[in-house]
Amino acid sequence: MNRNRITSAILAIALLAVGVWGTYQYQLKNEYKTALNNDYQRLFYDTKAHIANVQVALSKALLSDSKEQNILLMTQIMQQANMAQDKLSQMPVSHSDISKTQKYLTQVADYSYALVDQHLEGKDLDSKQREALFKLQDYSAYLTREMSSLHDKIMKGEVTLSRVEQGERKGLRKANENMLNTSLVKLEEEMTKYPELIYDGPFSDQVMNMKPKGLGEKKVTVEEAKIIAQNFLGDKQTWKLTLFEEGEHIDKVATIPSHTFIISTENSRDGAGSYISVSKQGGQVVWMVNPRSVSRISLSMKQGQDRALKFLEEKGYKGMEPNYSLRYDGTALFNFAYSEGDVTVYPDLIKVKVALDNGEIVGFDAATYLHAHHKRDIPKAAITQEEARGKVRLDFDIDSVRLAIIPKGGSKEVLCYEFKGKYKGSDYIVYINALEGKEEKILQIIQDENGTLTF
C-alpha cells in the first residue's frame, strides 16, 4: 500500500515536472518567435528607410544643376543603396525572388559611382544620363510605395515576418510562401504614389545641435518656473503642477536643462500625460503637451492656424509666419518661422498643435527657436534675384521667390534666395546662396489632404 502511494506520488511529481517543463518550453518558444519577428521588423523598417532615401536623393539629383551638390547626392545614393541591399539580404525571403530588387540596388550604386567620377572630371550630365536617372528614380519610387504598403500590413498584423521564414522552411503553399516576396519584385509596373513621411520641419534637426542662444541669462528656481508655467497655461482653470523628477523625459527637452511639471486640474488625475517644461536658464517655456483625444472635428485647418498664430502673439512671439502643417487624429500641427523684414528665418522655428474640436492648444515646442533665436546682422544679398534664377534649371517652373536664412551645419547660417516651383510634375524648393550664387539645398514638397510635408 505504501509502495503504491510512493509510486503515485512519484508519478504525480513527474507529471507536474513535465507540465512545468512543457509550459516553460511553450513560453520560451513564443518569446523566441516574438523576438525573431521584432528583429525582422527592424530589418524591414531599415530596408524601407534606405530605399526611400535612395528615391529622395535621386529626385533631388535630377533637379540639381550643381556638380558639387550632385556629388554629395550621388554619394548618398551609393551609401543608401548598399545599406538597403545589405539589409534586404538578411530578410526571411527567397533570394531568387528578390534578385531583381537586388540587381536594381546594385545598378543604382554603380551608376551613381560612375556619375560622381564624371563630375570629378568636370563633366556635366548629358540628356541620356538624365533619362537613365529618371528611370531609376521611377523604380525607386515604386519600390518605396510597395515597401510602405507592406509595412502597413505588417503593422496591422496581416503579415508576420517570422511566419514567412517558417513558411519557407516547411514548404507551405506557394501563395503563403510568397506573401512577402510578391510585394518586393513588381518593379516593372507604373509608380505613382510617394511614401508616408514623418513631419518635423525642413531644418529643425540641424538647429538642435547648437548651443541655445535665445534663453537669456537669469537662473530660474523651481517655484519661479512653476509661476511661469501657470501663466503660460492661463487662468481659465486652476492648474496643479507637480515637479517631475529630474532626468526623466530628457529627450523632450533636448540640450536645454529644464524644470518639468506634470499638469493636472481638479477634474483630472495626476500623471494623465500632460506636461510642461520651463528652462532653468532664462525661464522660457520649452515645450508643453496635452495628449487628449479629439472626438469630432469642428474647425478647418485655416481656423486652426489662425488660433495657433493668435496664441503665439499672446505669448509674446512676434513676427512668426506659418509655413508647413500636418493634420492627424483630430489635431493640426503647425510650423511657424520667424521673419525679419522680408527675410524668413527658418532656424527660429516653433511648432504649435491645435485641437480641431474647440481650438485648444494641446502642444507647443519652442526648443528649436530657443536654440537659434538671437539678434542677427542680416547681410544684403550680393547677387540679384535674376542672377540667382540663372543658377536654377531653366525648366524649373517657379511659383514664388523670397529671401530666407537657412542653417548650414552647426551654428552656421546662410542667406539664400528661396525658389518654390514644379519640376516634372513634383513640387520642390531650391535654395541659392544670395552671397556666393551657389546651390545650397533642394527640398521636395509633398502635399495631400492632411497637410504639407518637406524632405
Side-chain angles (χ1 to χ4, degrees), residues 125-168:
L125 301 182
D126 58 34
S127 58
K128 288 185 177 180
Q129 289 169 329
R130 286 194 172 276
E131 184 179 349
L133 283 177
F134 271 117
K135 290 180 179 178
L136 291 174
Q137 198 269 349
D138 277 347
Y139 285 134
S140 67
Y142 176 76
L143 183 56
T144 303
R145 169 190 163 187
E146 287 292 300
M147 297 291 278
S148 295
S149 175
L150 187 55
H151 183 252
D152 290 341
K153 292 180 180 179
I154 291 172
M155 297 307 293
K156 293 176 182 177
E158 296 175 13
V159 176
T160 304
L161 294 173
S162 61
R163 291 185 63 188
V164 174
E165 186 197 47
Q166 187 181 40
E168 291 213 356

Side-chain angles (χ1 to χ4, degrees), residues 324 420 427-429 443-447 452-455:
Y324 305 103
K420 290 185 178 181
D427 295 306
Y428 293 89
I429 307 175
L443 296 175
Q444 186 174 3
I445 301 174
I446 301 298
Q447 292 181 333
T452 305
L453 317 176
T454 66
F455 65 105

Side-chain angles (χ1 to χ4, degrees), residues 305 313 327 424 435:
Q305 178 180 288
E313 291 174 349
R327 180 176 60 191
K424 300 295 183 182
L435 303 179

Side-chain angles (χ1 to χ4, degrees), residues 329-385:
D329 293 337
T331 65
L333 178 66
F334 299 99
N335 268 10
F336 293 87
Y338 176 68
S339 62
E340 188 168 329
D342 61 346
V343 180
T344 300
V345 184
Y346 280 114
D348 296 9
L349 177 74
I350 297 179
K351 288 179 279 189
V352 181
K353 190 175 181 181
V354 181
L356 294 178
D357 53 0
N358 61 4
E360 181 185 5
I361 305 302
V362 293
F364 172 82
D365 185 353
T368 306
Y369 181 96
L370 295 173
H371 271 86
H373 186 66
H374 65 285
K375 187 175 181 180
R376 294 174 173 87
D377 184 14
I378 300 177
K380 290 186 177 180
I383 63 172
T384 65
Q385 180 177 310

Side-chain angles (χ1 to χ4, degrees), residues 63-116:
L63 178 57
S64 176
D65 209 30
S66 161
K67 291 187 182 70
E68 292 79 8
Q69 277 287 310
N70 264 347
I71 288 173
L72 291 173
L73 290 168
M74 293 298 172
T75 302
Q76 290 175 16
I77 292 168
M78 283 190 293
Q79 292 173 340
Q80 294 297 319
N82 287 329
M83 292 171 75
Q85 193 171 19
D86 176 63
K87 297 293 173 61
L88 192 61
S89 68
Q90 301 176 52
M91 295 287 288
V93 293
S94 169
H95 290 280
S96 62
D97 285 332
I98 57 172
S99 59
K100 290 182 181 179
T101 306
Q102 291 178 317
K103 181 180 179 182
Y104 160 74
L105 292 170
T106 300
Q107 288 177 334
V108 168
D110 290 346
Y111 196 62
S112 298
Y113 178 82
L115 294 182
V116 168

Side-chain angles (χ1 to χ4, degrees), residues 413-431:
E413 297 177 345
V414 58
L415 179 67
C416 294
Y417 283 101
E418 177 188 78
F419 293 92
K420 290 185 178 181
K422 290 185 178 292
Y423 181 67
K424 300 295 183 182
S426 296
D427 295 306
Y428 293 89
I429 307 175
V430 179
Y431 291 95

